[in-house]
Amino acid sequence: MSGFEKLSSNKSFEGWLNKYKFTSEKLGGLPTQINVFLPKEAEKGPVPVLYYLAGLTCTEDTGAQKGGFLRDAAAHGLALVFPDTSPRGAGIESEEKDWDFGTGAGFYVNATKEPWKKAYNMYDYITQELPAKLATSGLPLDTKTASIMGHSMGGHGAVTLYLSQPEGTYRSASGFAAILNPTRCPWGEKAFGGYYAGGVEEGKKSDATELIKSVGKSRKIELLLDQGTEDNFYKQGQLLPENFVAAAKEAGVPINVNFRDGYDHSYYFISTFGPDHIAFHAKHLKA
C-alpha cells in the first residue's frame, strides 16, 4: 500500500475514516499522516476524491473531526482526504518558534529558501506525491476525479492549487474564510518572506488574486467561497476577499462568493456551510 501504515479506523455514516502514516519524499523524507474517509459506495468500486486542506496550527485530524463533512460525503458517495498542514520534525531551528510560520503553517507552497526548501514542499506533496501514493495504495479511490477545498490557509491552498494546476486536475475548488491575497496581508508577507528566496515578489505565483488575473476566459472556473462577516481575521485584513473579487471581475471570470452575516472564522461557521460545499463538489465530481 505505497508504504501506508494504518494507525486507526473508525466507522462513520456506514463508511470508514482511516488514518495512515507513510514517508514523504517531498517533505524531506519525513513521516506524515493523513485521514481518508471512504463512503459505503467504495465497497463496490473506486469513488471520487475531495481533498480538504486545513488552516494554521491544524493537523490532518482537524477537518475530519470538526468539519462535519463525513455525513454529506457519505450521502454523495465521495471519499475525503485530509492531509497535514506542514512537514513535522524537519529539525530547523526556528521551526517551532511561531504559530503562523513553520510547523503547522506550510502554506501549501514549495519553499525555495534555505533551510526550508528541503522539507517544506507542500505544493508538490499535495498535487503530485499524495495523489500518486493514493493511486497505488490499493484503496478504492478514483484519484483522477478529484476536487479540493480548504479553510483559511487551507482555503488559500485549495484556490491557488486549483488555479495554478492544469485544467482538469481538480474539477472544482472551494474555500471557507480563505486567505485570498497573501502578498498583501501580514500572514502571507511573513510566510512568503520566509519560504521564498525571492520573498513576497516570488510569492505572487502563490497568490489567488494574482493567479485569477491570468487564468484566461477560455477556462471555466468552478469556485465557491464563503466568508463570515464577523471573522476577526477578515476584519484585521488577513483574508482580503474583496481584492480577489475585484481581480476576478476585472479579468471577466465569474466566481461564487458569499458573505455570511454574523459568522466568524471557526468550525461552527465551517460546519454550517460544509453541506453546501460538499454538494457543490459532488455536482462536479459526479458529472
Side-chain angles (χ1 to χ4, degrees), residues 58-77:
C58 295
T59 72
E60 71 282 354
D61 292 331
T62 312
Q65 295 178 1
K66 297 171 66 176
F69 302 127
L70 305 190
R71 176 192 62 192
D72 296 282
H76 288 285

Side-chain angles (χ1 to χ4, degrees), residues 46-51 76-81 131 134-135 140-148 168-172 281-287:
V47 294
V49 176
L50 176 57
Y51 295 92
H76 288 285
L78 303 181
L80 297 172
V81 175
L134 291 170
L141 301 171
D142 178 7
T143 55
K144 298 295 185 183
T145 305
S147 290
I148 191 165
T169 302
Y170 304 107
R171 293 196 177 186
S172 52
H281 292 297
K283 180 179 71 173
H284 298 292
L285 290 168
K286 294 295 190 75

Side-chain angles (χ1 to χ4, degrees), residues 8-286:
S8 64
S9 187
N10 299 94
K11 191 171 185 178
S12 182
F13 300 103
E14 301 305 315
W16 290 91
L17 180 68
N18 301 319
K19 174 175 278 196
Y20 300 99
K21 179 180 180 180
F22 58 93
T23 299
S24 166
E25 294 180 7
K26 295 296 183 182
L27 302 183
L30 294 168
T32 191
Q33 297 180 171
I34 59 171
N35 281 301
V36 179
F37 174 71
L38 296 172
K40 187 173 179 60
E41 281 83 348
E43 296 175 1
K44 303 175 184 177
V47 294
V49 176
L50 176 57
Y51 295 92
Y52 177 81
L53 307 184
L56 292 165
T57 76
C58 295
T59 72
E60 71 282 354
D61 292 331
T62 312
Q65 295 178 1
K66 297 171 66 176
F69 302 127
L70 305 190
R71 176 192 62 192
D72 296 282
H76 288 285
L78 303 181
L80 297 172
V81 175
F82 303 90
D84 203 350
T85 53
S86 75
R88 295 183 186 267
I92 299 170
E93 184 176 353
S94 57
E95 190 175 25
E96 307 285 345
K97 181 182 177 182
D98 297 324
W99 67 273
D100 56 358
F101 184 77
T103 300
F107 266 83
Y108 304 102
V109 301
N110 289 338
T112 58
K113 188 176 184 178
E114 295 287 1
W116 306 95
K117 66 180 186 179
K118 178 181 178 181
Y120 279 71
N121 297 296
M122 290 297 292
Y123 184 95
D124 281 354
Y125 168 66
I126 298 294
T127 61
Q128 298 177 21
E129 185 178 19
L130 182 55
K133 282 187 173 293
L134 291 170
T136 58
S137 67
L139 295 172
L141 301 171
D142 178 7
T143 55
K144 298 295 185 183
T145 305
S147 290
I148 191 165
M149 65 178 180
H151 171 231
S152 194
M153 177 186 72
H156 143 77
V159 177
T160 56
L161 269 56
Y162 171 70
L163 293 176
S164 62
Q165 283 288 292
E167 186 171 3
T169 302
Y170 304 107
R171 293 196 177 186
S172 52
S174 70
F176 304 91
I179 303 170
L180 290 168
N181 197 185
T183 58
R184 299 280 299 277
C185 77
W187 278 341
E189 290 170 356
K190 181 176 182 177
F192 293 166
Y195 292 136
Y196 283 136
V200 173
E201 184 65 26
E202 185 179 352
K204 288 182 178 179
K205 68 184 181 183
S206 303
D207 186 317
T209 295
E210 296 295 329
L211 289 169
I212 199 72
K213 295 175 183 178
S214 58
V215 72
K217 293 182 180 180
S218 62
R219 178 175 173 180
K220 188 175 182 182
I221 297 299
E222 303 294 354
L223 181 61
L224 172 64
L225 299 169
D226 274 296
Q227 174 62 58
T229 61
E230 293 302 310
D231 183 328
N232 284 335
F233 297 122
Y234 167 58
K235 293 180 177 181
Q236 292 167 14
Q238 295 281 17
L239 310 178
L240 303 173
E242 288 88 352
N243 293 2
F244 181 77
V245 171
K249 184 177 181 180
E250 185 176 345
V253 179
I255 53 174
N256 187 356
V257 181
N258 303 300
F259 288 87
R260 304 296 190 175
D261 187 49
Y263 286 91
D264 58 20
H265 198 74
S266 73
Y267 271 82
Y268 296 110
F269 159 62
I270 295 170
S271 60
T272 299
F273 299 102
D276 295 346
H277 285 241
I278 298 292
F280 167 77
H281 292 297
K283 180 179 71 173
H284 298 292
L285 290 168
K286 294 295 190 75

